[in-house]
Amino acid sequence: MRIISGTFKGRRITAPKKLPVRPTTDMAKEGLFNILNNHYYFDEISVLDLFSGTGNISYEFASRGVSSITAVDANADCVRFIEKTASGLEMKITAQKLDVFSYLERNPSKSDIIFADPPYNMDLSDFEKIHELVFEKELLLPEGRLIIEHAKQMKLSHLTHFISERKYGGSVFSFFQNTM
């Protein structure tokens, strides 16, 4: 995987093969950040990266100037890899080893962007639960966005606060906005 833009543009990051991950493709990541560039000043926002895996999305946000990033994953090896990589690049990423659903239940802090990239084979009800917890617990700041990455076979447009979806190959980003 590589960082597409920002301070670390072009930097390649090689994750251990043993990590149970499916990193967001460069094409999809580039499309996502082209959309976000039109809505945010990255040096002014906070980001929560759920099911962070290798930290691919967190590194991209950090490279673009986001200084408040929390990466949450239940896999200890993934969290250690994120901590090691972020430290080596002097990125301000806080990695936490927790079940994402437990984290959302107990997390009192709000973010401008919450990005979730759960396993594509997760049940629809679990995807819906991510959405439900984010909005029920009011975890987004005003005009904040929840972005859920999922397989193209899954549809999330029936959920409240849905504003759009973008397809990149076999991946889809569904966008939800806090309208407070």
Side-chain angles (χ1 to χ4, degrees), residues 19-159:
L19 295 182
V21 297
R22 174 204 31 78
T24 302
T25 65
D26 284 354
M27 177 185 73
K29 190 168 56 168
E30 189 166 357
L32 171 65
F33 279 89
N34 284 340
I35 293 166
L36 295 177
N37 276 332
N38 293 316
H39 297 283
Y40 296 100
Y41 294 106
F42 290 114
D43 60 346
E44 297 177 0
I45 65 169
S46 58
V47 173
L48 175 59
D49 182 6
L50 303 172
F51 302 95
S52 52
T54 61
N56 186 13
I57 294 294
S58 290
Y59 307 138
E60 195 69 44
F61 275 114
S63 181
R64 293 166 187 253
V66 177
S67 60
S68 177
I69 303 167
T70 301
V72 179
D73 201 282
N75 184 286
D77 291 330
C78 287
V79 171
R80 277 192 291 276
F81 179 74
I82 293 168
E83 289 172 336
K84 179 182 175 187
T85 303
S87 175
L89 295 174
E90 297 181 3
M91 292 178 167
K92 294 178 182 174
I93 299 172
T94 303
Q96 296 195 20
K97 183 200 167 302
L98 286 166
D99 170 76
V100 165
F101 298 103
S102 298
Y103 180 85
L104 291 174
E105 285 281 356
R106 295 182 296 202
N107 175 40
S109 62
K110 297 177 185 244
S111 300
D112 293 288
I113 296 174
I114 299 176
F115 180 84
D117 184 9
Y120 281 10
N121 63 353
M122 217 168 63
D123 289 337
L124 173 61
S125 61
D126 288 328
F127 280 85
E128 292 171 336
K129 186 174 182 181
I130 295 165
H131 170 275
E132 177 185 320
L133 287 169
V134 165
F135 286 100
E136 183 180 281
K137 300 289 184 179
E138 300 179 349
L139 300 178
L140 286 171
L141 290 164
E143 303 304 315
R145 291 190 183 193
L146 167 64
I147 305 160
I148 302 177
E149 183 176 345
H150 55 89
K152 66 181 178 182
Q153 296 81 5
M154 180 166 297
K155 302 292 180 214
L156 298 178
S157 57
H158 64 283
L159 299 172

